[in-house]
Amino acid sequence: HECMEMDTELVSELSKGCYSAEEVAIMEKNMLEALDWRLCGPTFMDFVRDLLSLLPPTVAHRVDVADTLLEYARFQTELAVCDYHYVTQRKSTVALASILNSTEAVVFESEERIQFFCSLEDAVGTKIRSREVKEVRSRLMDSFVKSSGYDLRQVRCRFASLSTSKISPKRRNSINGETSPVCVSEQ
């Protein structure tokens, strides 16, 4: 995720006049050809971010849902990076599987969920119920459970009970691990 594209004029300026913008462009082209255009492709997280942009607007504006999906998908893709098995998998499939698993931890309307899943299938070009996606989902979920000690469905139940309970917001944040320690006088 390079945040800034450097044009040839800037690189020329950075060379303090040693190379012209044209020379920089020629060298860049020579390097790309020498590498046979084999550059670093998109990562799992690049796909996750792009796919999460397909969330229905009513869900995307709910920061709790969008952030939860992103963080749980990130966690799973970080686990996938450490597992050689995923070298042979399409990055978009791993991203799709991590997002589908992450939806287990959040609550949103079934119509919105169906709309989102249809958008994901169209974007990736893979059915979410395909054998390939199911296998990746299962392996990612196993890794998630082994690493965190939680199943994502358990996480959803935990968050749902916190959000509907009468626990004060400050105490709820403490339970979620956002602050620590909790002052006894505030309980």
Side-chain angles (χ1 to χ4, degrees):
H1 267 329
E2 190 59 47
C3 59
M4 185 179 118
E5 183 179 325
M6 294 176 54
D7 67 0
T8 55
E9 291 293 330
L10 177 59
V11 176
S12 176
E13 286 178 33
L14 291 173
S15 76
K16 298 185 181 190
C18 290
Y19 302 99
S20 69
E22 185 179 325
E23 291 172 316
V24 171
I26 291 169
M27 181 53 70
E28 182 178 12
K29 184 175 182 252
N30 290 343
M31 290 169 59
L32 289 170
E33 288 173 353
L35 292 171
D36 207 17
W37 288 85
R38 284 179 263 152
L39 304 175
C40 182
T43 64
F44 297 134
M45 277 308 296
D46 291 332
F47 279 104
V48 165
R49 285 185 200 94
D50 287 345
L51 293 174
L52 286 178
S53 71
L54 301 173
L55 275 169
T58 54
V59 177
H61 294 327
R62 289 184 42 206
V63 177
D64 60 324
V65 172
D67 286 351
T68 300
L69 289 173
L70 178 65
E71 287 310 310
Y72 284 123
R74 178 191 320 270
F75 185 74
Q76 291 173 79
T77 59
E78 287 174 0
L79 293 172
V81 168
C82 301
D83 187 342
Y84 185 76
H85 170 78
Y86 296 106
V87 169
T88 62
Q89 301 294 322
R90 292 181 9 207
K91 288 181 175 51
S92 59
T93 301
V94 175
L96 173 64
S98 71
I99 291 170
L100 292 172
N101 284 349
S102 299
T103 61
E104 299 288 337
V106 296
V107 177
F108 57 98
E109 298 298 322
S110 61
E111 300 85 32
E112 296 167 326
R113 189 177 293 265
I114 291 167
Q115 178 186 353
F116 181 48
F117 288 175
C118 289
S119 297
L120 291 173
E121 283 184 341
D122 291 344
V124 177
T126 302
K127 296 289 183 193
I128 61 174
R129 296 191 188 276
S130 69
R131 183 183 54 78
E132 176 187 22
V133 172
K134 285 180 180 179
E135 288 174 1
V136 173
R137 282 189 74 181
S138 177
R139 190 173 180 110
L140 284 173
M141 188 61 82
D142 288 346
S143 296
F144 182 89
V145 170
K146 286 176 188 170
S147 296
S148 69
Y150 290 102
D151 183 292
L152 284 165
R153 287 173 290 275
Q154 292 171 320
V155 172
R156 177 177 57 196
C157 294
R158 182 172 171 234
F159 283 141
S161 67
L162 288 175
S163 64
T164 59
S165 70
K166 296 187 181 200
I167 298 173
S168 72
K170 193 171 226 175
R171 175 72 176 125
R172 188 176 305 127
N173 289 343
S174 170
I175 293 169
N176 289 334
E178 294 175 15
T179 60
S180 181
V182 176
C183 179
V184 176
S185 66
E186 293 178 14
Q187 292 185 354

